[in-house]
Amino acid sequence: MRTFKQFLKESSSPLSQWKNKEPAKYAEHLQKTFGQPDELTSNRIIWHDVDGFKRVEVLDEYILHSSPSPHYDYVYSYVDLKVPHELSNILADSSESILLDHLKGEVGARCASLSANAVTIQYVLDVVEGNVKPSKEEYEKRIKSMKAMFKSGKRYELDWWPDVTNDTDPKNPYYK
């Protein structure tokens, strides 16, 4: 069985044709834990039912996002969650990384890591459950707190998210 790295190097691999190298590199990182993807096209790679998420997608895009600080987004994570329509605008005002699909009853997050996506989805869960007043400040505080834990050598943990890729482990070789 060939490795994902070998797969990337093959000229026939869609990932070898991607314009953005960081998303391809992150997909390789995820493949080490998730295994071969469920779907691979010329611009996306998808795993279903992994690491507490309904779906994880890495896209061949590198979207500049300035909240809470400048970075690039390319990884999407989704969970099943029905969000009341009256929360749509306030969640959109909290973060452009929050993706709502009312028809499917699905919430997604677009960030630069699974850990940031998990923080984002937890924020939406807390808003829906009435545990927190939604605001951009509250959302950004959570992202900054997760990053501060990482920098201080601590792992961020959530009850529902197993973090099987060790994305929040400060010793994770991907982040060196």
Side-chain angles (χ1 to χ4, degrees):
M1 184 172 158
R2 60 189 172 169
T3 67
F4 193 69
K5 197 171 224 171
Q6 291 167 328
F7 186 69
L8 276 176
K9 290 180 181 177
E10 294 176 8
S11 61
S12 62
S13 164
L15 287 172
S16 69
Q17 306 301 314
W18 281 19
K19 294 177 281 188
N20 300 288
K21 297 306 170 200
E22 192 60 33
K25 182 180 168 189
Y26 195 71
E28 179 181 343
H29 162 67
L30 295 180
Q31 188 274 337
K32 290 175 184 172
T33 303
F34 296 161
Q36 293 298 322
D38 294 305
E39 300 177 42
L40 176 60
T41 71
S42 62
N43 66 353
R44 75 179 61 222
I45 185 168
I46 302 171
W47 291 269
H48 297 277
D49 300 312
V50 292
D51 205 11
F53 299 109
K54 175 182 181 177
R55 184 172 71 256
V56 172
E57 302 181 18
V58 180
L59 273 61
D60 182 17
E61 61 186 20
Y62 208 57
I63 301 172
L64 180 60
H65 188 199
S66 61
S67 176
S69 61
H71 64 281
Y72 291 89
D73 292 344
Y74 46 84
V75 62
Y76 297 68
S77 303
Y78 298 88
V79 298
D80 287 325
L81 178 66
K82 291 195 180 293
V83 175
H85 288 269
E86 61 268 16
L87 295 176
S88 296
N89 288 340
I90 193 74
L91 286 169
D93 290 343
S94 296
S95 174
E96 296 165 335
S97 292
I98 297 170
L99 311 168
L100 302 177
D101 188 327
H102 291 285
L103 201 55
K104 289 182 182 178
E106 188 174 81
V107 172
R110 175 186 55 225
C111 296
S113 68
L114 293 181
S115 51
N117 285 355
V119 171
T120 300
I121 289 170
Q122 182 63 50
Y123 170 76
V124 175
L125 284 164
D126 287 342
V127 169
V128 169
E129 292 174 356
N131 297 332
V132 66
K133 184 178 178 185
S135 70
K136 184 173 186 156
E137 293 76 20
E138 175 64 26
Y139 170 76
E140 289 185 349
K141 179 179 84 171
R142 290 171 179 229
I143 294 289
K144 289 176 182 176
S145 174
M146 179 266 301
K147 289 183 178 207
M149 288 179 72
F150 188 86
K151 285 182 182 174
S152 70
K154 298 176 185 169
R155 290 184 69 133
Y156 180 85
E157 295 180 356
L158 291 168
D159 290 338
W160 64 267
W161 181 49
D163 188 18
V164 298
T165 64
N166 293 314
D167 206 64
T168 63
D169 184 350
K171 296 177 185 161
N172 186 326
Y174 178 78
Y175 294 108
K176 293 200 185 279

